[in-house]
Amino acid sequence: MNLSLYDKDLKRISIIGAQYISCLWSEGYNTIENFTLELFATDEYKKKVKTDCYVGRDDRKTLMVLKTVKVENGKIVASGKQAGRVLDDVSFIGTIESGSMIDTSIKKAYNSSNKYHNLEFADTDLQIPYKHQIGNKSFLELCTTMCQSQDVGFRTVRESGYIVTEFYQPKSNPNLVFSERFGNLSINSISISTENSKNYAIVLGEGEGDKRTKVFVDLTNGEHRLDLIVDARDIQREENETDESYNARLEARGIEKLLQKRETFSCAFAPYAKDFGVKYDLGDILTVYLSDYGITLKARVSRFTQKSQNNKTKTTIEVGQITVKR
């Protein structure tokens, strides 16, 4: 991968190319993944590689933002995350009502906010609603919570001189079929876990003892009930607030907690080298035959990771529902 370094105004200040010691590049469909770049500590890099600079590559539009820079023993180790990380520094104080369209409601809220330097939201019209009330979050929390609930992706990319966050949801492509038997993938790992799984929240609001306000959030969908107690005493009834409004705010807290308590199912594999980024990409829906396990998996590419070192790049693709610990 060939890299470039950009300043806060997205002006290119250095062409790194492939002249680095190592690079770890990871992108998530609706998560924010990690980035690490190791360089020789030349005079140029010591002056230019700074926190809050961006790193891009010539074959992808996605940007990374540097949050930590360490110089030691003649080397620079710069680490950060996908550029969407900066949305965690912008707050939304208010409420997005249940049934609001994910992309347009977040964009509208962002346009009324303090915004982040040089970053805008793209115009999209996915017509996918968020089924619950949500509010008083950073914009990164809005994006991750609302998008993960409805299988929507978001990415922060570079455009001509500015940064754009856009929402997307690729449709299923029946031609994207993979199997070790077909010779177009090699399985690295399969992970299935219910350790973190909950589907029914009992949300406790204001009050004491038997008089404490309780709201029940049921996401069982006919499955066996797995309880989660959510202490939401910090959510206090506002002056003249109705029971309906207060309970909706408690329900929203329960939904957010349950979204963090989903079953983990992911399959990581090494793709045929020329396929990824050409025939399919992050967010595409793949059909994966796991013959040895008796499983046929139809799931999105939820994360990919590339490790580049010594002129060799290893790519790992992950599909399935990946639970991210917060």
Side-chain angles (χ1 to χ4, degrees), residues 19-116:
Q19 302 304 308
Y20 46 79
I21 301 170
S22 66
C23 181
L24 172 68
W25 183 290
S26 186
E27 296 179 30
Y29 177 60
N30 46 32
T31 59
I32 296 296
E33 302 299 332
N34 296 321
F35 170 77
T36 303
L37 176 64
E38 185 180 14
L39 300 162
F40 288 111
T42 65
D43 290 341
E44 178 188 4
Y45 291 152
K46 284 189 287 187
K47 293 177 181 178
K48 294 181 178 180
V49 179
K50 305 293 184 182
T51 55
D52 298 321
C53 285
Y54 297 100
V55 176
R57 48 192 281 187
D58 62 352
D59 59 338
R60 301 190 67 80
K61 293 177 66 176
T62 306
L63 282 171
M64 299 293 176
V65 61
L66 302 182
K67 302 306 292 184
T68 303
V69 177
K70 181 179 180 180
V71 182
E72 187 177 28
N73 298 325
K75 297 178 182 179
I76 296 174
V77 177
S79 59
K81 294 180 179 294
Q82 288 174 254
R85 154 65 181 82
V86 302
L87 292 171
D88 201 40
D89 298 326
V90 186
S91 299
F92 169 63
I93 304 301
T95 301
I96 295 176
E97 297 297 339
S98 172
S100 298
M101 299 302 157
I102 292 174
D103 52 351
T104 54
S105 63
I106 294 178
K107 176 181 172 65
K108 180 180 178 181
Y110 182 76
N111 286 342
S112 300
S113 76
N114 199 42
K115 295 189 175 182
Y116 190 86

